[in-house]
Amino acid sequence: MSNTERTFIAVKPDGVQRALFPEVLRRFSQKGFKLVGIKLTFAKEELLREHYSDLQSKPFFPSLLSYMMSGPVLATVWEGKDVVKQGRALLGATNPLQSAPGTIRGDFALDMGRNIIHGSDSVESAEKEIALWFKKDELVSYKSEMYGWIYE
Ligand code: ADP
């Protein structure tokens, strides 16, 4: 399993407005993942249509777009062992009411349309989402001084 797997994690507008983004950064960092990209940005409709292209036909699609455009999004990229799957576990289930306490959605959210955070659901979609949200030169490569204490 590669220590250089990457995932795309976005704190949605509600998570930014509710000042939950430091908690998200803390949880991913303290788990041992390395932050390699971060920016606060207003997502454009075109980008969101591409990002959520598989949900286009869903009845909640228009409200999902307006939710995601209702304020700035904190877009981040994290690197580490099994980070895509582990990241989804840190997030919890899509429906916060079905998310276990201890997960981000389980601890901080109630409604699906206000579920705080997005995380890529596969290595393949992570690659696609990272390329969609970040330019290559916005991602940084550096040696983490924590690595020797996290990986054996
Ligand atoms: P996830 O974000 O957990 O990968 P999906 O890709 O299925 O979940 O859905 C994307 C986002 O669309 C969800 O995070 C949520 O904000 C919203 N969403 C999904 N299903 C519903 C629903 N039934 N009603 C309202 N919003 C929904």
Side-chain angles (χ1 to χ4, degrees):
M1 212 174 264
S2 160
N3 295 355
T4 58
E5 185 174 302
R6 286 181 171 185
T7 195
F8 175 69
I9 300 292
V11 183
K12 296 177 176 182
D14 51 338
V16 172
Q17 293 288 352
R18 292 177 58 197
L20 292 170
F21 55 92
E23 181 69 20
V24 171
L25 299 177
R26 185 186 67 76
R27 289 185 185 209
F28 275 80
S29 299
Q30 291 187 349
K31 176 72 179 168
F33 297 125
K34 180 166 77 172
L35 183 65
V36 295
I38 186 164
K39 66 178 169 188
L40 190 64
T41 179
F42 275 97
K44 298 233 161 56
E45 184 173 336
E46 195 187 341
L47 180 149
L48 290 169
R49 283 185 181 279
E50 177 66 31
H51 177 87
Y52 284 127
S53 56
D54 56 329
L55 299 175
Q56 263 179 71
S57 59
K58 301 283 183 192
F60 59 83
F61 189 68
S63 63
L64 175 60
L65 289 191
S66 50
Y67 164 42
M68 291 298 291
M69 292 190 294
S70 63
V73 170
L74 188 73
T76 64
V77 179
W78 295 86
E79 191 175 282
K81 187 187 269 184
D82 201 28
V83 68
V84 172
K85 198 167 123 218
Q86 299 299 318
R88 291 286 290 191
L90 290 176
L91 263 58
T94 305
N95 184 346
L97 295 181
Q98 286 160 13
S99 297
T103 64
I104 293 166
R105 288 164 172 170
D107 285 349
F108 300 116
L110 292 169
D111 276 357
M112 275 209 274
R114 296 288 184 275
N115 65 355
I116 309 262
I117 187 161
H118 166 84
S120 307
D121 62 4
S122 68
V123 172
E124 201 178 48
S125 54
E127 280 167 10
K128 189 188 132 195
E129 290 170 4
I130 291 167
L132 187 62
W133 287 78
F134 285 89
K135 297 186 191 115
K136 275 213 173 92
D137 66 3
E138 290 175 325
L139 299 175
V140 291
S141 291
Y142 61 102
K143 182 174 171 284
S144 166
E145 297 301 338
M146 299 191 306
Y147 265 36
W149 300 103
I150 289 165
Y151 296 105
E152 58 176 89

